[in-house]
Amino acid sequence: MIRIGLTGGIGAGKSTVARTFVDRGAYLIDSDVIAREVVAPGTEGLAALIEAFGTDIVAEDGSLDRPALAARAFVDDEQRAVLNAITHPLVGARTWELLTAAPADAVVVQDIPLLVENGLAPMFNLVVIVYADTETRIARLAEHRGMAPADARARIAAQATDEQRRAVADVWLDNSGDPAALAEAAAVVWDERLIPFAANVTAQRIAPSRYEIVESDPSWPDQARRLAARLRLVAGAEAIGVDHVGSTAVPGLAAKDVIDLQVTVARPDDLDAVSARLVEAGFPATGYTSDEPHGDVVDPAAWIKRGHGSADPGRPANVHVRVDGAANQTFALQFRDFLIAEAQVRSEYEAVKRAAARTGEREAYLAVKEPWFAATYPRVREWAALTGWSAPAT
Ligand code: ADP
């Protein structure tokens, strides 16, 4: 199963995307529907709201009078907290119920208007954002939903900003054109990314990446940040840090378009538990359980790891689980910082990688890269000692 978070500001066009996904087989969990369901007539949710806010919040037909509830609940933070304490657990329980009922190979799409506002992005394998600019949304809400422009504007102002949405978007769908264009773009995402992603997770297969060097991409750090947030959540308490490492963490350095992340665990005994959770979360194991030893650290225990990769065909990534303070764990961080500090070495490394990538195959790539690495290893350690390098806080 993979879980997709679908969101966007009010009037952005989430319904079109949700419909496209559902038509193609998505298992939809709509949080607006659930929010209404848990306070429908006859529910314990409605009873609890009446208990807290009085019988005036019930309409003549016995249903919840939303404006009346809003008038009582949105007066201050305390009343708002009372409301949330009643509804949030009910919504959570119902969502969980629906999630556990989903087929094992489902593509679950959770339509959540306040996904960004509530900081939920790391909970999903992928976040899809639907975007249209403010004026377009206000016009559409007026035309199709009869919403007063001032009302629409106030609601938009109370929601997340476009920048906040961009920061968590793995997929950005622009709805500036007509609905057919949006549906078409959503269908491409479904066919080319979500379906292969889900199939890879089911088969425990890492999405393929190419042994090809591309120019440095300024969005790599942002992409790494999103992956790191997800990894921090899924790796559990044994993981004490997640760092962006490797060439994509070095600004300006050409690299394979594969983001490397290092998950640090406190003790060797933690490796397997964290590794199992990564598999569960869509990061299948590579099978590599150690790194190539370098320098004078010959004890294999200093080089153990658990290698993982991402199943997402739209964002190849390597995830290295290593032990805090081990030779491989400190080296990954020092090598990154060394390259950031030393322009000369950076261009040397880039040239070596370009030569190594010429064959396009892993073994040949490593055969060229490893000797340079072996020669550079002592220089990195020496640089770290001379500069008083210490591990950054993560
Ligand atoms: P959301 O669910 O994100 O709040 P909707 O999908 O309901 O937004 O879209 C808001 C309104 O704008 C709807 O009434 C919809 O029919 C209309 N709409 C959506 N996309 C377009 C579009 N590309 N062009 C014109 N109207 C649109």
Side-chain angles (χ1 to χ4, degrees):
M1 180 201 287
I2 58 169
R3 284 173 69 186
I4 308 303
L6 170 64
T7 193
I10 180 168
K14 289 182 292 297
S15 335
T16 305
V17 176
R19 213 174 309 120
T20 304
F21 287 167
V22 167
D23 286 347
R24 294 174 113 76
Y27 181 97
L28 182 70
I29 301 181
D30 185 325
S31 65
D32 271 348
V33 170
I34 294 176
R36 282 195 294 273
E37 223 175 68
V38 298
V39 293
T43 56
E44 57 163 309
L46 184 57
L49 288 181
I50 294 168
E51 172 96 4
F53 297 103
T55 48
D56 291 352
I57 63 161
V58 183
E60 296 215 331
D61 64 359
S63 69
L64 177 64
D65 180 343
R66 288 180 178 277
L69 174 64
R72 283 173 177 68
F74 295 151
V75 289
D76 56 37
D77 287 348
E78 199 180 321
Q79 292 307 302
R80 196 188 294 264
V82 171
L83 172 64
N84 289 342
I86 293 170
T87 56
H88 284 184
L90 294 169
V91 169
R94 180 63 183 146
T95 303
W96 187 247
E97 213 172 87
L98 292 170
L99 271 175
T100 49
D105 59 353
V107 177
V108 175
V109 173
Q110 293 185 240
D111 182 336
I112 307 181
L114 299 183
L115 184 151
V116 177
E117 290 79 353
N118 291 330
L120 305 179
M123 291 175 45
F124 300 93
N125 296 98
L126 217 58
V127 170
V128 176
I129 306 265
V130 190
Y131 166 83
D133 68 46
T134 303
E135 298 310 317
T136 303
R137 288 153 64 198
I138 291 170
R140 286 176 185 165
L141 288 168
E143 186 184 348
H144 301 284
R145 289 204 211 150
M147 193 180 287
D151 188 14
R153 205 176 289 281
R155 285 169 190 242
I156 288 171
Q159 293 190 338
T161 63
D162 292 338
E163 291 68 41
Q164 289 169 320
R165 290 202 185 90
R166 272 222 191 262
V168 299
D170 298 297
V171 176
W172 185 262
L173 291 173
D174 192 312
N175 185 22
S176 303
D178 62 24
L182 176 62
E184 173 58 29
V188 170
V189 170
W190 179 268
D191 294 345
E192 294 180 6
R193 189 156 184 185
L194 305 188
I195 287 297
F197 192 166
N200 286 342
V201 169
T202 302
Q204 292 301 323
R205 191 169 52 217
I206 293 166
S209 60
R210 308 212 304 191
Y211 281 84
E212 181 187 55
I213 304 297
V214 301
E215 291 310 315
S216 177
D217 179 343
S219 77
W220 278 336
D222 292 332
Q223 298 188 51
R225 208 170 299 124
R226 292 199 290 275
L227 280 166
R230 220 156 261 156
L231 288 166
R232 232 169 254 128
L233 184 71
V234 301
E238 292 89 344
I240 59 173
V242 179
D243 294 280
H244 185 196
V245 297
S247 294
T248 60
V250 179
L253 180 60
K256 280 188 297 175
D257 190 5
V258 181
I259 288 176
D260 284 272
L261 291 145
Q262 175 165 271
V263 176
T264 298
V265 297
R267 307 168 308 133
D269 283 352
D270 298 331
L271 285 168
D272 285 326
V274 170
S275 176
R277 291 187 201 122
L278 295 191
V279 169
E280 198 61 32
F283 298 94
T286 59
Y288 296 107
T289 55
S290 69
D291 290 299
E292 188 71 28
H294 285 294
D296 53 6
V297 185
V298 291
D299 179 5
W303 299 93
I304 52 171
K305 73 183 281 185
R306 296 292 181 270
H308 292 260
S310 173
D312 175 6
R315 179 60 272 164
N318 297 321
V319 183
H320 315 270
V321 188
R322 296 182 176 123
V323 181
D324 192 25
N328 52 0
Q329 190 264 353
T330 57
F331 181 70
L333 297 171
Q334 289 174 358
F335 182 52
R336 175 197 66 190
D337 294 349
F338 176 64
L339 289 175
I340 291 172
E342 303 287 328
Q344 181 57 37
V345 186
R346 205 157 60 227
S347 51
E348 199 179 299
Y349 185 41
E350 191 170 306
V352 169
K353 288 196 300 176
R354 286 192 196 277
R358 222 154 270 151
T359 63
E361 277 168 18
R362 180 173 199 275
E363 294 310 319
Y365 181 82
L366 293 179
V368 178
K369 207 177 100 169
E370 278 301 322
W372 183 85
F373 235 85
T376 309
Y377 179 86
R379 293 170 68 190
V380 176
R381 295 302 198 195
E382 194 185 345
W383 171 87
L386 282 173
T387 58
W389 181 93
S390 65
T394 56

